[in-house]
């Protein structure tokens, strides 16, 4: 599995390295909703704490039904249009990346990079040949029509992250549709990671077209939007019943704990929390983006979700190290294929935290 330095949120490791307490570090490296876990879930876990005394339902029937119901309602379609058989929940989205790769055994895959490292990890583990489609600075790290030309019939699957982590961009809807059509024509399975799509209130992702594309697999994570990375919950959506049935039949039992199993129904119905999140993000996304854009020596990329990617035009200056002197942890992106030591990502946090980050950056960049 991934090494510890490859992800954000490793405050334990950074605290050890810098001789600090993990709880004193202001963590901008993990993209977690700063509103914290919803009160509705906290109450449910406390009142149902004895559920740990029983095994969870091995089929997670209620969990799958709750997720399916949510998507049917979101699309204003009858529940029968989005059956529970379209859903497989996992112990975080990460588990499902590995499980899907393990089961479908692609021989040749294309990854749009730089992106989340675990697609490559999972594919490497099964000895898959990996081709890369590289997002480039000259195109603002956007997915462009060049990707269509990179698709060919020798490919078994394509991994695409929308919005992409760490660059934060969403492909244009028309282009996404073309990618979908071209993949279907060429017999390529399209694995689209929509783990951050919930932060975009105007987007439903590709759930509406699942029915029409049996080659389409959508990955969702609940850990970021609902601030439960320690609880772990994600899910895979697909209309492809043969593959979904195999995934269901071959998975290890009980990988989702009893609290996570009860969480989806509560979280997906907590519309007040979703509205508060949109409200917070609406103001803080533009506040932090504008604040960063005014700093000298940075190129800041417009965010779609709850994190911002930027390039510092001083490859020899270690900005993460400089900010750790002030107990602020940001994500350096040097270990993403296609990026280097001048690339960084910061989570969007509360106004107070964002101000603190901007002040620290102003100071550090004035003296570097
Ligand atoms: C793009 C992307 N997909 C999936 C995941 C995994 O999320 P989870 O915590 O649900 O395993 C992450 C985590 O950072 C991510 O950035």
């Amino acid at each position: 599995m991934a090494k510890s330095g490859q992800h954000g949120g490793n405050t334990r490791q950074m605290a050890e390295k810098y001789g600090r307490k993990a709880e004193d570090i202001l963590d901008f490296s993990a993209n977690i909703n700063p509103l914290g876990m919803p009160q509705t879930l906290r109450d449910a876990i406390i009142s149902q704490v004895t559920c740990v005394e029983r095994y969870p339902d091995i089929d997670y029937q209620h969990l799958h039904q709750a997720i399916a119901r949510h998507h049917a309602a979101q699309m204003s379609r009858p529940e029968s249009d989005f059956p529970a058989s379209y859903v497989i929940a996992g112990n975080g989205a990460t588990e499902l990346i590995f499980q899907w790769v393990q089961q479908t055994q692609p021989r040749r895959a294309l990854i749009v990079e730089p992106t989340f490292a675990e697609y490559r990890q999972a594919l490497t583990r099964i000895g898959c040949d990996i081709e890369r489609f590289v997002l480039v600075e000259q195109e603002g790290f956007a997915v462009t029509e060049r990707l269509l030309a990179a698709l060919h019939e020798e490919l078994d699957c394509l991994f695409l992250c929308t919005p992409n982590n760490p660059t934060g961009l969403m492909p244009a809807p028309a282009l996404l549709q073309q990618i979908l059509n071209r993949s279907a024509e060429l017999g390529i399975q399209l694995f689209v990671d929509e783990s951050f799509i919930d932060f975009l209130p105007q987007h439903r992702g590709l759930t509406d077209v699942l029915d029409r594309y049996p080659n389409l697999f959508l990955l969702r994570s609940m850990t970021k939007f609902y601030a439960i990375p320690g609880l772990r919950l994600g899910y895979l959506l697909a209309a492809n019943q043969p593959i979904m049935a195999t995934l269901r039949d071959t998975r290890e039992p009980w990988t989702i704990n009893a609290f996570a199993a009860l969480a989806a129904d509560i979280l997906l119905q907590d519309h007040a929390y979703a509205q508060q999140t949109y409200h917070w993000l609406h103001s803080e996304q533009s506040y932090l983006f504008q604040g960063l854009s005014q700093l000298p020596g940075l190129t800041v990329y417009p965010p779609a979700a709850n994190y911002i990617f930027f390039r510092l035009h001083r490859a020899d200056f270690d900005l993460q190290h400089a900010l750790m002197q002030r107990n602020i942890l940001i994500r350096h992106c040097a270990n993403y294929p296609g990026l280097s030591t001048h690339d960084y990502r910061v989570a969007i946090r509360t106004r107070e935290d964002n101000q603190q980050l901007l002040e620290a950056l102003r100071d550090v960049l004035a003296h570097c």
Side-chain angles (χ1 to χ4, degrees):
M1 179 58 94
K3 290 183 273 318
S4 53
Q6 287 184 336
H7 292 281
N10 203 332
T11 47
R12 195 264 312 147
Q13 191 191 46
M14 293 304 271
E16 261 173 31
K17 182 172 167 192
Y18 285 88
R20 311 281 159 76
K21 288 192 199 143
E23 56 272 26
D24 291 342
I25 294 176
L26 187 51
D27 184 13
F28 279 88
S29 72
N31 303 322
I32 304 301
N33 188 336
L35 302 188
M37 75 187 283
Q39 187 64 39
T40 46
L41 179 60
R42 188 185 296 264
D43 293 343
I45 287 178
I46 291 168
S47 70
Q48 298 181 54
V49 72
T50 55
C51 69
V52 296
E53 295 168 356
R54 296 179 297 278
Y55 277 96
D57 170 15
I58 199 161
D59 297 324
Y60 296 103
Q61 213 177 68
H62 288 135
L63 173 59
H64 292 136
Q65 282 167 350
I67 295 166
R69 233 181 1 254
H70 163 76
H71 284 291
Q74 219 185 30
M75 298 187 300
S76 308
R77 300 228 300 244
E79 282 179 22
S80 54
D81 274 16
F82 207 106
S85 59
Y86 280 24
V87 184
I88 293 182
N91 183 26
T94 308
E95 182 190 27
L96 296 162
I97 297 171
F98 282 84
Q99 209 209 339
W100 187 84
V101 167
Q102 187 62 39
Q103 276 315 313
T104 57
Q105 290 284 318
R107 283 157 297 124
R108 185 172 287 268
L110 179 66
I111 309 181
V112 178
E113 289 185 325
T115 195
F116 188 50
E118 300 304 324
Y119 321 135
R120 182 173 279 276
Q121 292 274 354
L123 293 166
T124 305
R125 188 183 278 189
I126 61 148
C128 176
D129 287 335
I130 302 174
E131 294 182 15
R132 342 169 34 202
F133 175 86
V134 182
L135 303 170
V136 291
E137 188 178 12
Q138 300 87 294
E139 293 177 338
F141 292 106
V143 177
T144 64
E145 288 187 359
R146 270 196 310 122
L147 177 57
L148 295 172
L151 301 178
H152 58 85
E153 56 192 9
E154 304 282 292
L155 286 172
D156 293 323
C157 67
L158 164 65
F159 279 83
L160 187 62
C161 184
T162 61
N164 191 34
N165 178 14
T167 50
L169 302 172
M170 272 300 285
L175 178 59
L176 206 46
Q177 186 61 51
Q178 284 176 295
I179 295 168
L180 204 47
N181 290 339
R182 192 79 190 115
S183 303
E185 280 162 21
L186 293 169
I188 299 169
Q189 288 180 340
L190 180 55
F191 190 101
V192 182
D193 185 342
E194 297 184 335
S195 286
F196 288 97
I197 204 100
D198 290 337
F199 287 101
L200 284 67
Q202 72 283 18
H203 267 277
R204 279 212 303 265
L206 292 173
T207 46
D208 290 25
V209 298
L210 272 176
D211 272 341
R212 284 192 277 134
Y213 294 91
N215 64 322
L216 178 61
F217 295 82
L218 298 180
L219 183 69
R220 298 289 183 105
S221 170
M222 299 188 76
T223 69
K224 295 120 195 352
F225 190 83
Y226 294 103
I228 51 164
L231 187 63
R232 319 288 307 127
L233 189 59
Y235 54 91
L236 188 69
L237 300 173
N240 186 321
Q241 290 309 295
I243 292 186
M244 292 301 262
T246 313
L247 287 169
R248 247 191 307 278
D249 293 347
T250 53
R251 68 179 315 183
E252 291 161 25
W254 302 302
T255 61
I256 305 164
N257 69 73
F259 295 137
L262 67 83
D265 200 13
I266 293 155
L267 297 174
L268 295 171
Q269 289 193 53
D270 195 339
H271 303 297
Y273 181 87
Q275 289 308 320
Q276 280 165 21
T277 300
Y278 299 145
H279 187 72
W280 150 75
L281 191 58
H282 182 70
S283 79
E284 290 316 304
Q285 197 183 53
S286 54
Y287 174 78
L288 191 55
F289 176 65
Q290 280 164 20
L292 290 170
S293 302
Q294 283 161 10
L295 294 171
L298 300 187
T299 300
V300 188
Y301 291 86
N306 62 329
Y307 52 93
I308 303 182
F309 174 68
F310 62 86
R311 177 161 278 191
L312 170 67
H313 299 291
R314 282 277 315 268
D316 57 335
F317 184 74
D318 187 341
L319 188 60
Q320 185 190 56
H321 175 73
L323 288 171
M324 270 306 292
Q325 307 306 319
R326 293 151 197 261
N327 279 359
I328 293 177
L329 176 59
I330 66 170
R331 175 75 160 95
H332 75 72
C333 295
N335 58 351
Y336 281 96
L339 297 181
S340 65
T341 49
H342 49 186
D343 295 316
Y344 297 92
R345 189 196 67 202
V346 290
I348 300 169
R349 295 184 52 106
T350 61
R351 175 62 56 98
E352 198 189 348
D353 292 348
N354 296 335
Q355 269 170 346
Q356 200 175 323
L357 173 68
L358 289 172
E359 273 164 34
L361 278 168
R362 249 175 241 125
D363 207 29
V364 161
L365 294 173
H367 296 101
C368 76

